[in-house]
Amino acid sequence: MKTSPRAQSATSLPQAPRDDAGSRLVKYMVMMGIRFACFGAMFLVTPYGWYTFLFAAGAIFLPYLAVVVANVGQDAATVGAVNPERMIEAAPSAPVSPSAEAPTVIRIAETARLEQPRDDRS
């Protein structure tokens, strides 16, 4: 997995899995609705002619295409990081000289409890 020292921008995040599944369901239902219309038109449109075979082909092959389209998910590898902010150059800072004083050190040591607690809460 590739890691970056910079945080990922919210504008470059991929689509949420719930939204992706919802959009695929909508595509599937639209294609199956078209298939249902083709199936009905195949029997209801008269006189029969070359378009009857077109409706039959739609009724036969649209379920396969609908399943293929519904199972194709979003390609997560194509999303690139987008920086929504302009980069501001920082002013050069003066070099920090080592301090002559020693740093302050705080030590915390635990000791055993000297007396018993008065109630059951602690």
Side-chain angles (χ1 to χ4, degrees):
M1 180 189 290
K2 183 178 174 184
T3 60
S4 173
R6 295 170 39 188
Q8 186 175 14
S9 170
T11 59
S12 65
L13 294 175
Q15 187 178 17
R18 180 182 298 155
D19 296 337
D20 185 39
S23 68
R24 290 187 289 140
L25 178 66
V26 168
K27 290 176 189 175
Y28 177 79
M29 295 306 285
V30 166
M31 292 183 79
M32 291 308 286
I34 294 170
R35 183 232 183 182
F36 184 73
C38 286
F39 191 76
M42 184 174 65
F43 292 109
L44 297 176
V45 175
T46 55
Y48 299 121
W50 63 269
Y51 45 84
T52 305
F53 294 109
L54 183 67
F55 292 143
I60 292 170
F61 295 113
L62 274 176
Y64 172 76
L65 293 174
V67 169
V68 169
V69 168
N71 286 332
V72 174
Q74 173 181 320
D75 188 14
T78 60
V79 177
V82 177
N83 189 1
E85 301 173 356
R86 294 188 317 179
M87 299 296 287
I88 301 173
E89 294 293 327
S93 60
V96 179
S97 62
S99 175
E101 298 177 21
T104 305
V105 177
I106 299 174
R107 291 185 184 256
I108 299 175
E110 292 188 29
T111 59
R113 180 178 275 178
L114 299 177
E115 54 187 64
Q116 295 295 327
R118 286 188 244 168
D119 56 2
D120 294 336
R121 285 187 276 163
S122 56

